[in-house]
Amino acid sequence: MRVGIVTPAWNTAPWIAAAIRSVLAQTHTDWRMVVVDDGSTDATASVVAGFLDDRLMLLRQTHAGVSVARNRGLAALEADVVAVLCLDADDWLAPDALVRLVAALHAAPLAVAASGPCRVGGRTLRPPAGDLLEALLRRNRFANGGHLLIRREAAVEAGPHIPGLAYGEDWDYVIRVALLGPFTVAPGRAAVLHVRTRPGGAVHCLGADPAAFRACLDAIFANPALRARLRPARLATLRQRAEAESHWIIGRELIRQGMDRGGRDWLRRSVRARPSVRRLILLAAAYALPVLPAKLRGPFASYPADGESR
């Protein structure tokens, strides 16, 4: 199975070499990689051009955003690519990532995509399998597209990433893929993807922005295919749950960035909308943060310095 890997890159010169090396190290060698330099002003394009491998293609464009770059990369893949994966330029794959994801798709012919565990901020996240539509409407279950291998025909049918969406564009996209069929999970508990958490990344910059979440949710729930699949009352309930989840994420990110008071306000909104014992305990813990040392801040800990996430 030939795999197409698309990597948008904007001012990622310090990290993109690691992403490319992780693809070159794959035990599954039938792949093609397209890096789209999205108007970088640093040495990103030079770093990519320094890799001499016929399977790697570099495209350059004026800065247009991650969605436009992904769409261009997907369109540039060769016709014989059977499945696609979108790898962020500051993340990296485990050497057996593609062989495990390809095996999972082979073993589940009705699945539209295969995922595997990913390592984020010291934790390993294990995505679910099956019909994930409603689960994804409540909250995003994937760190990003780097641990998700999508059949080419499903990627085409799902349509392009929304160009104007600055945050959550991958969440909207994977929901459109989930409308087309079930997901499967690769064998093994080890991570297929390692996500670099860093200041300046999308989560750090926009994860605390209510307007970014609102735009994302508006795009997701405006999809006419959802209205055709689910009743209005069910969609309204799922949106309320997604909003409560977004409020929690906003609060957590504000606290991670040192804005504890504003963060606690958003956490309270989330708990009021969707109370749970766990979040009530975490909300209480958030009020104790000023007297706790950094190493005890748990889920509210700040991001590791660049390089420490490895």
Side-chain angles (χ1 to χ4, degrees), residues 6-305:
V6 173
T7 299
W10 182 52
N11 292 339
T12 56
W15 311 288
I16 193 166
I20 294 173
R21 283 195 294 266
S22 78
V23 176
L24 293 171
Q26 291 300 300
T27 54
H28 179 90
T29 59
D30 191 6
W31 53 262
R32 298 292 184 271
M33 183 178 191
V34 180
V35 177
V36 182
D37 178 22
D38 186 35
S40 297
T41 56
D42 67 359
T44 294
S46 298
V47 172
V48 178
F51 287 90
L52 303 179
D53 192 300
D54 291 340
R55 297 169 296 178
L56 175 63
M57 176 191 301
L58 171 64
L59 300 178
R60 303 186 71 175
Q61 64 182 32
T62 56
H63 185 55
V66 63
S67 292
V68 173
R70 283 202 188 106
N71 291 340
R72 187 177 180 197
L74 288 167
L77 290 173
E78 299 170 351
D80 58 354
V81 164
V82 176
V84 298
L85 180 145
C86 291
L87 175 66
D88 285 358
D90 50 359
D91 297 341
W92 67 98
L93 297 172
D96 64 347
L98 294 185
V99 74
R100 289 167 59 193
L101 292 170
V102 166
L105 272 187
H106 272 308
L110 297 181
V112 294
S115 65
C118 69
R119 188 77 174 166
V120 186
R123 296 183 302 146
T124 299
L125 307 180
R126 295 178 176 86
D131 180 356
L132 301 185
L133 180 60
E134 291 202 11
L136 285 168
L137 288 171
R138 289 190 289 268
R139 67 181 177 92
N140 194 356
R141 305 298 295 267
F142 299 96
N144 57 46
H147 60 128
L148 189 62
L149 184 65
I150 303 171
R151 294 192 192 276
R152 176 77 172 269
E153 59 266 29
V156 171
E157 188 174 350
H161 293 77
I162 298 177
L165 208 56
Y167 183 76
E169 75 291 334
D170 50 349
W171 184 16
D172 167 74
Y173 185 75
V174 76
I175 285 171
R176 285 187 275 132
V177 173
L179 278 161
L180 303 175
F183 287 47
T184 189
V185 175
R189 298 176 62 85
V192 299
L193 174 72
H194 296 266
V195 176
R196 189 188 304 273
T197 54
R198 60 182 178 87
V203 172
H204 185 268
C205 294
L206 296 173
D209 183 359
F213 269 102
R214 188 164 53 251
C216 177
L217 291 176
D218 287 347
I220 288 171
F221 285 93
N223 187 342
L226 283 179
R227 298 175 183 176
R229 178 75 64 87
L230 300 171
R231 294 180 178 180
R234 184 59 181 161
L235 272 179
T237 297
L238 290 167
R239 170 137 193 176
Q240 289 172 355
R241 293 185 180 182
E243 287 174 347
E245 182 70 22
S246 72
H247 293 165
W248 185 266
I249 294 170
I250 291 167
R252 184 188 63 201
E253 295 306 319
L254 285 171
I255 291 173
R256 283 177 171 173
Q257 295 175 35
M259 293 172 275
D260 289 7
R261 183 174 179 179
R264 290 193 294 266
D265 288 344
W266 283 99
L267 296 184
R268 284 199 304 271
R269 289 193 194 190
S270 176
V271 171
R272 282 199 301 268
R274 192 72 181 166
S276 71
V277 172
R278 178 179 179 272
R279 288 195 170 173
L280 283 168
I281 293 171
L282 288 172
L283 177 60
Y287 280 88
L289 289 177
V291 298
L292 289 177
K295 66 181 180 180
L296 296 181
R297 283 187 161 226
F300 304 108
S302 61
Y303 289 107

